[in-house]
Amino acid sequence: MLVMRPAQMADLNEVQRLAADSPIGVTSLPDDAGRLGDKIAASETSFAAEVSFNGEESYFFVLEDSSTGKLAGCSAIVASAGYSEPFYSFRNETFVHASRELKIHNKIHVLSQCHDLTGNSLLTSFYVLPDLVNSASAELNSRGRLLFMAAHPERFADSVVTEIVGHSDEQGDSPFWDAIGRNFFDINYAEAERLCGLKSRTFLAELMPHYPIYVPLLPDAAQEAMGQVHPRAQITFDILMREGFETDHYIDIFDGGPTLHARVTGIRSIAQSRIVPVKIDDNVAKGGRPYLVCNGQLQDFRAVSLELDWVPGKPVSLSPEAAEALGVGEGGSVRLVAV
């Protein structure tokens, strides 16, 4: 059974194995033991802290195969994007150029660098093994974070954002980066993202153009790349769009990938999840509807994907194996939402 839980320092080698296979652009998963160790340490501190509002905390989760101890995926939440430095994006805007005398009225698409999304909670570090991409396990790896937010709302902002990896080719070249960023840094996209993973995105963002960029002046390839999703990030995009995230207003400043945004109250897994009492049953009927189920705890947070024959308003029947994986007993409670 695959179980989502907080990452521990003992997971470092396995996490680095996942990071090594993550696509270019996932700067929150650098293939660097030191940075990943810092990430896990910060997460352990955040889970242990008493928190009454969102601050500098970050929460890193792994998806573990309980039978082998191997990791099949990981994901994270940053409580406040840009807590110690601005969180930069390009905002899609429309400028109007008009002349009464010539009777011309043109609307021009422009990109303006901004940090509007600073302070929002941020979903990051999503990775799942390729053979699990189209399974309920990918849903668990992504949406399990949202169940954690539902269980601990005081730790997060009222809005959530996430950056989806944009288009780049097999050689790691990005037409959007080549049209804009490469004019300010004599490095390719892959190297820029590597530096961001090892250091910070901010030091590069601060050297990017701060004046509006007129989109019609960009090469066609760069314009076509705006808002495009990297094939390996499509699963993340699809899951979060089904959750109610919107994609029209912001794009990533490096590869032009979409930046998704949603109010917490409008996120499906948060708004539609329910807390129900647990009944342990040795003869749980097989089949039923797939659900994501979590125990709602903090440091001992656990979430799994189960097929349940649950009737709203009634207790949910769990097998002893599922109850053990979740760390709940008879008379306890879980939070669940339909897949």
Side-chain angles (χ1 to χ4, degrees):
M1 179 181 292
L2 292 177
V3 181
M4 185 179 190
R5 60 167 175 79
Q8 303 167 355
M9 197 57 71
D11 298 319
L12 179 57
N13 289 339
E14 280 286 286
V15 169
Q16 188 169 8
R17 175 177 62 84
L18 302 181
D21 188 51
S22 64
I24 296 172
V26 185
T27 53
S28 53
L29 273 180
D31 183 12
D32 181 89
R35 286 300 297 262
L36 292 173
D38 291 344
K39 185 181 185 74
I40 295 173
S43 175
E44 290 180 325
T45 299
S46 298
F47 276 106
E50 292 186 11
V51 174
S52 55
F53 58 90
N54 62 304
E56 61 182 339
E57 302 81 30
S58 60
Y59 306 91
F60 188 35
F61 303 89
V62 294
L63 197 61
E64 180 185 35
D65 186 330
S66 59
S67 62
T68 65
K70 293 285 187 180
L71 298 189
C74 60
S75 59
I77 317 170
V78 175
S80 299
Y83 184 83
S84 58
E85 52 192 21
F87 179 78
Y88 287 104
S89 302
F90 275 142
R91 181 175 57 236
N92 284 306
E93 294 184 327
T94 301
F95 282 5
V96 176
H97 290 244
S99 169
R100 286 185 182 180
E101 186 175 347
L102 298 177
K103 296 182 179 179
I104 293 175
H105 185 93
N106 288 332
K107 293 182 178 180
I108 310 296
H109 182 188
V110 301
L111 300 175
S112 297
Q113 190 181 108
C114 69
H115 45 84
D116 298 354
L117 302 177
T118 295
N120 287 249
S121 293
L122 176 68
L123 302 180
T124 71
S125 309
F126 178 91
Y127 175 86
V128 69
L129 293 178
D131 57 352
L132 297 177
V133 163
N134 295 311
S135 70
S137 299
E139 298 272 344
L140 171 63
N141 194 45
S142 180
R143 295 170 59 192
R145 297 174 290 183
L146 302 176
L147 293 180
F148 181 81
M149 294 180 70
H152 304 282
E154 73 283 355
R155 291 176 174 261
F156 302 100
D158 295 331
S159 296
V160 186
V161 298
T162 188
E163 294 177 312
I164 305 296
V165 179
H167 171 70
S168 61
D169 62 23
E170 294 180 358
Q171 288 71 44
D173 291 323
S174 161
F176 188 82
W177 170 263
D178 289 343
I180 300 177
R182 193 156 189 169
N183 291 300
F184 298 86
F185 312 92
D186 190 20
I187 55 177
N188 63 21
Y189 169 67
E191 178 64 12
E193 291 288 9
R194 189 189 72 82
L195 287 174
C196 289
L198 295 176
K199 298 181 183 296
S200 162
R201 291 172 66 89
T202 301
F203 83 97
L204 285 182
E206 289 177 341
L207 295 175
M208 296 279 278
H210 291 267
Y211 295 100
I213 297 170
Y214 282 70
V215 172
L217 298 179
L218 298 177
D220 290 344
Q223 294 186 47
E224 292 169 3
M226 290 171 52
Q228 281 195 29
V229 178
H230 192 284
R232 293 187 62 186
Q234 190 66 49
I235 183 61
T236 312
F237 180 82
D238 292 344
I239 290 172
L240 295 179
M241 289 298 288
R242 291 195 295 269
E243 285 292 306
F245 281 72
E246 297 180 351
T247 183
D248 295 333
H249 304 299
Y250 302 93
I251 62 173
D252 183 82
I253 63 173
F254 292 159
D255 59 26
T259 297
L260 307 188
H261 178 265
R263 298 281 296 178
V264 166
T265 52
I267 296 175
R268 178 176 165 240
S269 287
I270 295 176
Q272 298 182 12
S273 63
R274 296 291 179 265
I275 299 175
V276 298
V278 168
K279 178 182 177 182
I280 298 179
D281 187 348
D282 289 322
N283 299 303
V284 174
K286 293 185 178 180
R289 184 176 181 181
Y291 284 87
L292 304 179
V293 187
C294 80
N295 61 11
Q297 297 180 36
L298 186 56
Q299 290 175 272
D300 294 323
F301 177 82
R302 298 290 186 274
V304 296
S305 174
L306 300 171
E307 290 188 353
L308 301 172
D309 186 18
W310 174 64
V311 178
K314 301 288 186 179
V316 59
S317 294
L318 300 179
S319 67
E321 179 190 15
E324 181 180 3
L326 286 165
V328 296
E330 182 84 25
S333 63
V334 293
R335 180 182 291 271
L336 55 77
V337 67
V339 173

